[in-house]
Amino acid sequence: MDSESAAARVDVSKPHPARRYDYWLGGKDNFPADRDSADAVAEAFPTVRLAAVENRNFLRRAVTYLAAEAGIRQFLDIGTGLPTAGNVHEIAQGIAPESRIVYVDNDPIVLVHARTLLNSSPEGATAYLDADLRDPERILTHPDLTGTLDLTQPVALMLVAIMHFITDDEAPYGLVRQLCEALPSGSYLVMTHATNDHLTDEDLAETKLANKRSGVPFQLRSTAEFRQFFTGFDLVPPGIGSVMTWRPEVWRPHPRPEAVSMLGAVARIP
C-alpha cells in the first residue's frame, strides 16, 4: 500500500464526503473545501453534527448485534470514511477476534490512513480496497476481498451513510441489489440514510439548495424509498426507523427524530 502515492492524489480543492464527515465528527483530516461544504449543509440543517454522531452510534450497535447475537464473522464496509474511534473491526473483533473485515472507500486520504484499519487481531483479518461503490464488480472480484472474505459464508454488507450520495440517475437500488445478490443466504444488509420525512416543502427546497452549494451530490429519501432497498429481505426488529431508536443500549433522553433525520435498518438476506 503506497500511502505517498495516495497522498499525491488527494484533491484538497474539492470537498469529499469522507473528509466532510470527519469534520462533523470533530476530526482533523479535512481541508477548507470540506469545511466550507459542511458548513453550507449546516446552514439548512444545523443539527447535522448530531446526526453524524448518532449515525456512528448506530453503526456500533449494529455491528455489536451482528457479531454477538447473529454470529456474523465477516463484514464488508463500503464507504468506510476516515478511521475514528470504534471502527468495524475493533467492534467485531472485540467480540469475536476471528472476524474478518474488508473496508472500501474511494478517497485517497482514507487510503493514506488505512493502516489504522488494517490493525487486525491475530486471529482475524482486515483489508482495504481503494474502490467506488458505483463499481460493485470491481469490489466483489478484487483479490484483496476474495482473499479476505469467504463469499460462500454469511457476510454483513455495511452501507452506512453512503447511499444518499448515490442519486437516482446512478441506479442506487440496482447497485445495492447487485452487491446483495453476491452474498449467500444468512448474510445481512446494514444501511443508514438521510431522510426528508420531517421536512416541509419549504425546508426541502432550502435543503436542496444547500446541498447544491456544498458541491457534493446528495439525495434525501423518504421511509418508503428507503424501504425499497430491503425488498425481499427480513428486517431485524425494530425494523426501519430513526438511527437513534434502533436497539438502544440504555435509556437516555433523545432529541426529536427530525433533529437527526437519519433512517437505519438491519435486514437478513434469506
Side-chain angles (χ1 to χ4, degrees), residues 109-176:
I109 200 170
V110 180
L111 176 57
V112 171
H113 291 272
R115 287 187 177 86
T116 301
L117 299 173
L118 300 179
N119 185 25
S120 173
S121 67
E123 303 92 335
T126 60
Y128 177 85
L129 308 186
D130 183 21
D132 196 302
L133 169 62
R134 299 170 185 84
D135 190 359
E137 188 67 21
R138 168 176 161 77
I139 294 170
L140 293 168
T141 60
H142 197 286
D144 287 346
L145 183 143
T146 57
T148 305
L149 303 182
D150 178 358
L151 295 185
T152 69
Q153 299 298 315
V155 176
L157 171 61
M158 313 287 297
L159 297 174
V160 175
I162 184 65
M163 291 309 300
H164 42 234
F165 297 112
I166 307 298
T167 55
D168 282 346
D169 61 327
E170 296 176 300
Y173 298 104
L175 292 173
V176 173

Side-chain angles (χ1 to χ4, degrees), residues 46-99:
T47 55
V48 65
R49 284 185 173 83
L50 175 62
V53 170
E54 291 295 345
N55 183 75
R56 194 74 189 182
N57 289 338
F58 168 90
L59 180 145
R60 176 174 48 79
R61 297 196 306 274
V63 173
T64 298
Y65 163 78
L66 291 166
E69 298 185 44
I72 295 297
R73 297 295 179 263
Q74 301 190 112
F75 297 81
L76 174 55
D77 182 9
I78 303 179
T80 299
L82 285 153
T84 186
N87 298 299
V88 170
H89 75 281
E90 294 170 332
I91 302 164
Q93 292 180 349
I95 296 166
E98 70 275 21
S99 298

Side-chain angles (χ1 to χ4, degrees), residues 80-258:
T80 299
L82 285 153
T84 186
N87 298 299
V88 170
H89 75 281
E90 294 170 332
I91 302 164
Q93 292 180 349
I95 296 166
E98 70 275 21
S99 298
R100 307 175 76 82
I101 295 90
V102 171
Y103 293 105
V104 181
D105 207 291
N106 67 346
D107 184 3
I109 200 170
V110 180
L111 176 57
V112 171
H113 291 272
R115 287 187 177 86
T116 301
L117 299 173
L118 300 179
N119 185 25
S120 173
S121 67
E123 303 92 335
T126 60
Y128 177 85
L129 308 186
D130 183 21
D132 196 302
L133 169 62
R134 299 170 185 84
D135 190 359
E137 188 67 21
R138 168 176 161 77
I139 294 170
L140 293 168
T141 60
H142 197 286
D144 287 346
L145 183 143
T146 57
T148 305
L149 303 182
D150 178 358
L151 295 185
T152 69
Q153 299 298 315
V155 176
L157 171 61
M158 313 287 297
L159 297 174
V160 175
I162 184 65
M163 291 309 300
H164 42 234
F165 297 112
I166 307 298
T167 55
D168 282 346
D169 61 327
E170 296 176 300
Y173 298 104
L175 292 173
V176 173
R177 190 59 48 168
Q178 185 176 347
L179 289 163
C180 290
E181 287 178 350
L183 306 179
S185 174
S187 295
Y188 284 80
L189 171 61
V190 181
M191 191 185 300
T192 66
H193 198 298
T195 183
N196 54 15
D197 282 353
H198 311 290
L199 298 179
T200 65
D201 290 343
E202 182 179 353
D203 289 339
L204 182 57
E206 183 179 353
T207 298
K208 287 180 177 178
L209 287 173
N211 285 324
K212 187 174 182 179
R213 290 195 302 273
S214 77
V216 176
F218 193 89
Q219 183 162 345
L220 298 168
R221 292 187 171 95
S222 66
T223 294
E225 291 171 311
F226 182 65
R227 188 179 300 276
Q228 291 179 47
F229 287 110
F230 298 91
T231 299
F233 300 161
D234 301 321
L235 287 163
V236 174
I240 293 171
S242 170
V243 292
M244 296 184 300
T245 57
W246 195 89
R247 294 178 171 252
E249 295 159 326
V250 295
W251 184 91
R252 62 185 176 89
H254 284 295
R256 295 174 298 174
E258 54 265 37

Side-chain angles (χ1 to χ4, degrees), residues 1-20:
M1 184 177 298
D2 187 348
S3 60
E4 290 185 6
S5 175
R9 292 193 288 119
V10 176
D11 185 351
V12 301
S13 68
K14 296 179 181 178
H16 190 280
R19 302 194 304 259
R20 193 170 70 174

